[in-house]
Amino acid sequence: MISKEAAIRRFVKNYEIEVPQPLVEEEYKFCVMNMKHQMRYAEMTGTAQMNPIEQMKAMKVMEEKLKEEAYYNVKEELVIKDVIHKQDFVVTREELEQHAREIAERQDSEMEMVKKFFGEDFKMLESDVKRQKAENWIYEQMSE
C-alpha cells in the first residue's frame, strides 16, 4: 500500500496546474536560505565543518535538487488549494473542536490555551482542517 505522503506526491506530480515562475523563484530563495542555515547550524554544533569554499561547492551540488524542491513545494500548495476549491469541503464546529483537542494533546496544553490562541470559535483552524480533508481526499483517489 502506498503511503499518504507518496500518494500526495504522485497526485501533485500528475496534476495539471499552472505554476507561476516568480513563486518558484521566491521558494527557491527560501530553500537556499534554509540550506545555508542548516549548514551553519551543523558547523556551530560541530556535526560538520566546512569552509566557505566547501559550502559553495555543496550548494552548487544541491542547486538542482533545491530547484526541484522549490517547484514541488509551490505546486503542492497550488494543487491543495485547487482541490479545496473544487471539492468545496465543509468544516463543522465538531471538526474544529476535534482539531483543537488534537493540538492541545500534541502541545500538552489545555483547551483554554488553544481557545485563547485560536479564538473561541476555532475559526482560525478552518483552513488546516480543509487542508487535511484535501490530503485525505487525494489519498483516497490515489488508493483506488
Side-chain angles (χ1 to χ4, degrees):
M1 182 187 275
I2 188 170
S3 72
K4 188 174 183 179
E5 184 179 320
I8 292 170
R9 185 165 280 284
R10 185 181 306 155
F11 185 87
V12 168
K13 182 181 177 197
N14 295 325
Y15 198 90
E16 292 292 325
I17 194 166
E18 183 180 339
V19 181
Q21 191 59 32
L23 291 178
V24 175
E25 290 169 9
E26 196 62 35
E27 180 67 15
Y28 173 72
K29 288 176 189 175
F30 175 77
C31 290
V32 168
M33 181 182 69
N34 188 43
M35 179 62 67
K36 287 180 180 179
H37 173 77
Q38 289 176 9
M39 292 169 115
R40 186 161 289 130
Y41 182 78
E43 189 175 317
M44 288 172 56
T45 59
T47 56
Q49 296 293 322
M50 286 187 182
N51 65 44
I53 294 172
E54 290 172 322
Q55 286 180 355
M56 284 180 19
K57 287 179 182 177
M59 290 301 295
K60 191 67 176 163
V61 168
M62 294 294 296
E63 184 177 358
E64 197 58 39
K65 185 174 187 266
L66 292 175
K67 285 180 180 179
E68 290 172 10
E69 180 182 341
Y71 178 84
Y72 177 81
N73 290 347
V74 171
K75 185 174 181 183
E76 179 185 38
E77 195 60 34
L78 294 171
V79 168
I80 295 290
K81 286 179 180 178
D82 198 47
V83 167
I84 289 169
H85 174 75
K86 288 180 178 175
Q87 295 302 312
D88 196 26
F89 296 113
V90 175
V91 177
T92 65
R93 170 75 181 177
E94 291 77 25
E95 289 170 319
L96 292 173
E97 288 174 358
Q98 177 61 34
H99 191 64
R101 278 192 295 278
E102 291 168 3
I103 290 172
E105 286 178 25
R106 275 195 312 272
Q107 299 296 323
D108 194 26
S109 183
E110 299 294 323
M111 277 295 283
E112 287 306 310
M113 291 300 292
V114 176
K115 282 182 182 179
K116 284 181 183 178
F117 190 79
F118 292 108
E120 286 289 325
D121 63 357
F122 302 118
K123 204 67 171 158
M124 290 175 58
L125 295 175
E126 187 171 3
S127 62
D128 290 348
V129 175
K130 283 185 178 184
R131 183 180 184 94
Q132 285 179 349
K133 286 184 173 202
E135 289 175 352
N136 290 339
W137 182 86
I138 290 168
Y139 181 64
E140 289 171 13
Q141 302 309 302
M142 298 304 289
S143 297
E144 293 177 350

